[in-house]
Amino acid sequence: MTTVRPTGRVLSAAALAVVLAAGLAACGSDEGTANAGSPASAGTVTIGAQASGIGQKTDIKVEKQQAIADLVPDAVKADGKLTIGLGALPTGFPPLAFVGDDDKTLTGAEPDLGRLVAAVFGLTPEINNATWDNLFVGIDSGRTEVGFSNITDTEQRKEKYDFASYRQDNLGFAVKDGNAWNFDKNYKNLAGLKVAVGAGTNQEKILVAWQEKLKAEGKNLEIKYFADTPTTFKALVSGQLDGYFGPNPGIAYQISRTKGTADAVRNAGTYSGAGETLQGLIAATTKKDNQLAKALAEAINHLIQNGQYKAWLAAYNLDTEAVPTSLVNPPGLPKSNA
């Protein structure tokens, strides 16, 4: 039986100084290693550690599953570690991956799921942080055994990597808390609204297409642009906007930051980042044909079936991105869209 023990949420005294990239991809050139928590043999994984209130600190009981551990290739488990890669340099991308309030702990939803998977394997997590490009260099070289870093499953990437899915790749609509409007996966509900979006993004492309559909129906959707994310949310809570359409994890971050304040926002619905015909998926990423993907999927499915996965999502307000099961190399974003 799963034991989940919330240990409280403490908001930082000042807002976390980070830059939220529209595509949630880090850039830079340095690499580093930082870890949190104790070896998997201790049987408890702490998620949301040093997370500045962005994640709810929670102790989750996770026992080694020998049948799943037996699927892990000998080359991976020989040193007793699972080497997990992040592409979160230089600034991080909360709530998914960032340096905690102790200025050293790599925390966030992505490294925490890696820690949970390592516990199922009975291995100690070792987390390497790099730039986005160097994350893949690490996987290619074998220095990194698996990437947990908001990596979208695409058909192009499958030429070099294997995937085990664990989260929906979603965009989301943010509205001011108290606003009863919901998207309900129906573009017609946008008629008459003022909605902000980031220029040059995938979500702008989708929103403009909806705008054209509404225009053909004799209805209006006004699209607004702002210089940065903080300015966008300031306009939203002041009433200048009806909604903001952006990366769902970034909205989850804003919900955590503003909960209980006059600037509180909520999630009014999600939409696949891959578009109408395909649910985009975020996946654990490993070097192609190294035989690790099946073990990763089985570990994630164990966490799903026993409640630890649900607790992990809830700690970061990512409940809207849950998947029912982890799949090995599911259909990915087509090459024409990648």
Side-chain angles (χ1 to χ4, degrees):
M1 192 72 174
T2 303
T3 302
V4 180
R5 298 188 298 275
T7 56
R9 172 177 288 185
V10 180
L11 295 177
S12 59
L16 185 65
V18 296
V19 177
L20 284 177
L24 293 177
C27 58
S29 60
D30 295 326
E31 295 189 15
T33 300
N35 300 282
S38 53
S41 58
T44 299
V45 176
T46 300
I47 63 172
Q50 305 294 335
S52 301
I54 296 168
Q56 182 175 359
K57 187 177 179 182
T58 308
D59 291 332
I60 300 180
K61 182 71 174 177
V62 186
E63 296 180 356
K64 178 181 178 180
Q65 300 300 305
Q66 191 60 53
I68 298 175
D70 289 343
L71 298 174
V72 179
D74 291 341
V76 172
K77 61 188 176 185
D79 62 356
K81 300 177 183 179
L82 180 68
T83 306
I84 298 162
L86 296 178
L89 287 177
T91 59
F93 39 96
L96 300 182
F98 55 99
V99 177
D101 52 19
D102 62 354
D103 294 325
K104 62 180 182 180
T105 300
L106 284 168
T107 190
E110 301 290 73
D112 279 351
L113 182 59
R115 293 176 176 113
L116 291 168
V117 167
V120 175
F121 291 162
L123 300 175
T124 298
E126 181 177 281
I127 299 177
N128 295 326
N129 195 18
T131 64
W132 179 253
D133 289 342
N134 282 336
L135 163 64
F136 291 95
V137 172
I139 296 172
D140 294 343
S141 68
R143 177 175 179 266
T144 294
E145 291 160 342
V146 58
F148 281 95
S149 196
N150 200 52
I151 303 170
T152 300
D153 168 24
T154 74
E155 293 303 313
Q156 182 174 0
R157 286 175 178 159
K158 281 182 186 172
E159 295 177 359
K160 293 182 66 176
Y161 307 104
D162 286 326
F163 294 103
S165 58
Y166 61 84
R167 191 161 51 77
Q168 293 183 12
D169 183 7
N170 282 339
L171 301 169
F173 283 92
V175 298
K176 186 175 181 179
D177 194 29
N179 182 342
W181 179 87
N182 285 296
F183 175 56
D184 291 329
K185 299 191 186 298
N186 185 351
Y187 76 90
K188 293 179 183 291
N189 290 339
L190 295 165
L193 301 186
K194 294 179 181 179
V195 178
V197 72
T201 62
N202 179 46
Q203 54 266 29
E204 181 195 26
K205 179 180 176 182
I206 293 170
L207 195 63
V208 167
W210 287 333
Q211 183 187 51
E212 291 300 316
K213 285 186 176 183
L214 287 168
K215 184 178 180 180
E217 298 170 6
K219 301 172 184 177
N220 183 55
L221 165 61
E222 189 173 350
I223 298 177
K224 295 286 191 178
Y225 300 92
F226 292 86
D228 52 40
T229 300
T231 304
T232 301
F233 277 100
K234 184 176 180 179
L236 179 64
V237 299
S238 69
Q240 299 175 53
L241 294 171
D242 297 299
Y244 163 66
F245 187 43
N248 193 62
I251 292 170
Y253 164 68
Q254 195 70 18
I255 291 170
S256 295
R257 280 193 69 231
T258 61
K259 185 176 180 180
T261 73
D263 294 334
V265 297
R266 71 173 185 87
N267 193 311
T270 61
Y271 189 77
S272 172
E276 184 177 5
T277 60
L278 178 68
Q279 176 58 60
L281 293 171
I282 301 299
T285 305
T286 189
K287 192 172 184 180
K288 193 169 185 65
D289 296 328
N290 73 350
Q291 310 306 313
L292 181 56
K294 180 175 174 56
L296 290 166
E298 290 296 324
I300 294 165
N301 283 327
H302 172 79
L303 295 169
I304 291 172
Q305 292 159 11
N306 290 276
Q308 297 103 329
Y309 173 82
K310 182 178 180 180
W312 164 71
L313 287 172
Y316 289 99
N317 291 316
L318 292 172
D319 312 68
T320 55
E321 299 197 345
V323 296
T325 188
S326 176
L327 302 173
V328 175
N329 292 329
L333 194 67
K335 290 183 179 181
S336 59
N337 283 5

